[in-house]
Amino acid sequence: MAVDQTIDRCRELIAEPLGVIAERWKESHPGGRVAACFPVWSPAELIHAGGMLPLGLLGGGATVELTHADARFQSFVCSISKSTLELGFQGLLKGVDGLVFSNICDVARNLSSIYKRNFPHFHVDYLHLPQNSTSAGVADYTAEELRRVARGFESAFGVKITEDSIGKSVELYNAIRARLRALYAFRIAEPQKLSTVELYLILRALTQADPEESLIRLDELLAELPGREGRPKDRIRVVIEGAFCEQPPLGLLEVLEEAGCYVVEDDLLLGWRWFTSDVPVNADPFRALGQSYVDRAVPSSTRHEGREHRSKGLIEKVRRSRADAVIFTPPKFCEPALFDYVPMKQGLEREAIPHLLVEFEEKMWTFERTRNEVETFVESMLFD
Amino acid sequence: MPAEVKERQYQGKVHQLSRELMNAWTSQLARANETGEPTGAIMISGNCVEILRAFDIHPIFPEVTALQNAIRHQSLPLILKAEQAGYSSDNCAYVKADIGLFLSGGMGPGTKMPYPTITLCNYVGCNVYVKWFEHLAEATGSQLFMLDIPFLRTPEPTAADIRYVVKQFEELIRILERISGKKFDIDKLREILGYAARAEEGYARSKELCKRSPAPFDCYFDAINMMGPINVLRGTREAADFFDEAVKEFEGMVAEGAGPLSEERFRMVVEGPPPYPYYRSFRNLFTRWGAVAVASTYSTVGGIWEFGFRHDPTRPLESIAEQMLTENLTNRSIVTRYGQIRRYVEEWRADALVIHSIKSCRLFSAGQGDMREYFTKELGVPTLLVESDLEDPRYYAEAQLRNRIDAFFEALEHKKLVAA
Ligand code: SF4
């Protein structure tokens, strides 16, 4: 499939309700089960290893009108939590059997149990991912936590998750992540040939599709992208940071680019490309995954790194991608993103890296103000 | 509205004793500032202050600093200072008030406090704690220890949860030995836990007395007098003695049939932290109606003692782990909290549930609309949800709150009359 066609297909796919995708997959996998993962990281490998389909549970964007969820969650709570709950109320997750949340923030934590109460037919699990990355007990703990999650799926759905099958799933997801790293490297090298909207569509589609199928598409893309047309434009290179959970509207990503930026690095859908190198496939895959969660992790606002300053990973990203600036894109009301903004910004200022703050909401639909702000920022840099 | 109800007990003996104890604690900290004795910053929720105490490390509680500044109407300039530095209007205002204080060159509510020698983040359910203590450790240059307590996501903690927590305790103890220059003494910890258990018993007994009508104290507004001793000073002989005194005082009141108000007309359960910048005004809105809190969830952030759990000196570290993992409000899911409130409504015979929903603390508030649904629709408990904040005075709209509260109690009164 040609690049443009693949990207169009991705665009169609992500416009479909999750339940429709789940039902369609089940038609070709009779008796199959589907589990959807709320950001940021979830062990998709375990779900896949049980013969189930792992999907991303990423809210309702601008398409779902809130009719029930806003009576449950107050006005000062982020949009993704409300629209995700609304998906349940409107039956848009019909076909999805399991949901996984984790300790990324207090809102996600409460959402998890409220989901379970309102929709007892889902198998809902809440994963406590470690925040102490230096304890000698952390790898054992994480391995056990993943075992617990696997046992939960086994007893809820009668599936079998064996060490063997996890090994195979880890290999599959390692392969996918390697392709994603290659796509990110390609965009750093030739951002004019792969826009961020396109890369985001590819990535997001991956969270809504069969992983085997995704791997084939990723290989095709990587083979075809270098031959794509694209003349470099006079734009600044930026890293965007903060939209690791609530999904930015496509319009926002478009505006950033139209206003004169090449986005060369980001933290979009971070959980689906969490590991910086392959997870080892060995005798104890639970431990390998757990250890990797801690040792091979990308920098993330939802994990306490321990030894490093919050800005360190971001500055490394800026250097590695040869970016000129950072645009912070925290979702409105998102505590982890908004808290990290301060030390990150301070770190950037120490390194004289310019930055701009652009808050967003998934349901945002006009971007003119953002366009003006970004254009002014870009101009100030281009003509500095 | 019938004849006005008045407060009787606000400045009672328990309040006075609590004040003295808390002042003594701040003076100790001020002294530590001069002598260079080690100090440890730690959070209130499900804390393990006993471990610090075993090394004579003075505990500092940034939340107490923040709330005291709010009560003294000093929080807004601090919050604004933090917002100027880049914190969002949507970030927890406790953190902002604390960071604002650092940016203004201070630490502590009025009294000069030392910078912590160690910043011990007891991550017990609240994810903001992680950020707060990352920032605090950076601002003060102190060593950060992230004590990661797995969230209670199964009916009981798993064996792996307990192993992980105990392992971290061992690691923490090694660091505390180094900081304090003292060897870990398990017998000393046992003694401290003995005092803790005695204080817990007294706190639980006091709350139990609120099952009586009238309740001898308001378990939301007056419970603050006990929350200092139980959460900050737990593990000291003074705190244990304080609760013995408190129980005596409350038993006397029960014998006299006295409560905090001239008349107890409504018994309510209150969920959520109070609006510290307007503590008195908020309280008055309920007092007018003769509404007394007979139980509250906020008073259990440090530990839920009224259902029977006590620290056990014979199993020191294990029982501290149990308290952090399961026996406090913050490390449990919001829906588990519904069960806790339900018990209060039933066993403390409450007429209503009042939810004070605060913007700063999403751990408490995110999803309280669902809680209201559950109590009104499924249990038929009259429930009022009002919004403001625990630290930021900008979110307190008195007229609006008064209207909502008046309308609610009017309806409740009407219901009572009809039922009679
Ligand atoms: S957007 Fe932020 S606050 Fe909301 S659920 Fe995600 S991480 Fe939590």
Side-chain angles (χ1 to χ4, degrees), chain A residues 45-64:
Chain A
E45 288 87 344
L46 295 189
I47 298 167
H48 183 261
M52 301 176 279
L53 175 65
L55 296 176
L57 180 60
L58 302 171
T63 56
V64 173

Side-chain angles (χ1 to χ4, degrees), chain A residues 71-74 76-77 103-107 109-110 113-114 117-118 126 128-132 135-138 141 144-145 148 301 304 309-310 332-333 335-336 338-343 345 350 359, chain B residues 85-87 90-92 95 123 125 127 131 134-135 138 144 146 148-151 153 160-161 164 168 171 330 332-335 338 357-358 360 362-363 365-370 372-374 378 387:
Chain A
R72 303 298 215 280
F73 280 91
Q74 300 91 322
F76 51 75
V77 177
N103 54 331
I104 56 169
C105 69
D106 298 338
V107 173
R109 172 205 125 138
N110 289 5
S113 61
I114 286 174
R117 186 183 94 74
N118 284 279
Y126 183 82
H128 181 95
L129 293 166
Q131 290 286 2
N132 180 344
S135 169
V138 69
Y141 163 76
E144 277 307 313
E145 178 64 349
R148 182 188 67 74
S301 287
H304 171 68
H309 189 267
R310 276 289 170 200
K332 181 102 185 104
F333 305 118
E335 290 263 31
L338 290 167
F339 268 124
D340 275 5
Y341 166 67
V342 180
K345 153 182 121 85
R350 283 194 289 272
E359 273 190 27
Chain B
Y87 287 88
D90 298 320
N91 278 137
C92 168
V95 185
Y123 169 47
N127 285 279
K131 301 291 177 198
E134 282 179 3
H135 296 204
E138 194 193 340
L144 175 62
M146 186 59 61
D148 179 18
I149 306 296
F151 187 66
R153 60 227 181 280
D161 292 349
Y164 179 41
Q168 292 179 82
E171 291 162 346
T330 52
R332 299 171 162 203
S333 77
I334 185 170
V335 173
Y338 300 1
S357 185
I358 56 163
S360 277
R362 271 86 169 185
L363 175 151
S365 59
Q368 277 169 333
D370 185 67
R372 177 181 51 192
E373 288 282 315
Y374 172 74
E378 294 184 29
E387 284 182 17

Side-chain angles (χ1 to χ4, degrees), chain A residues 12-25:
Chain A
E12 285 161 21
L13 189 66
I14 72 166
E16 285 184 300
L18 213 56
V20 171
I21 295 169
E23 296 280 26
R24 191 170 53 230
W25 182 82

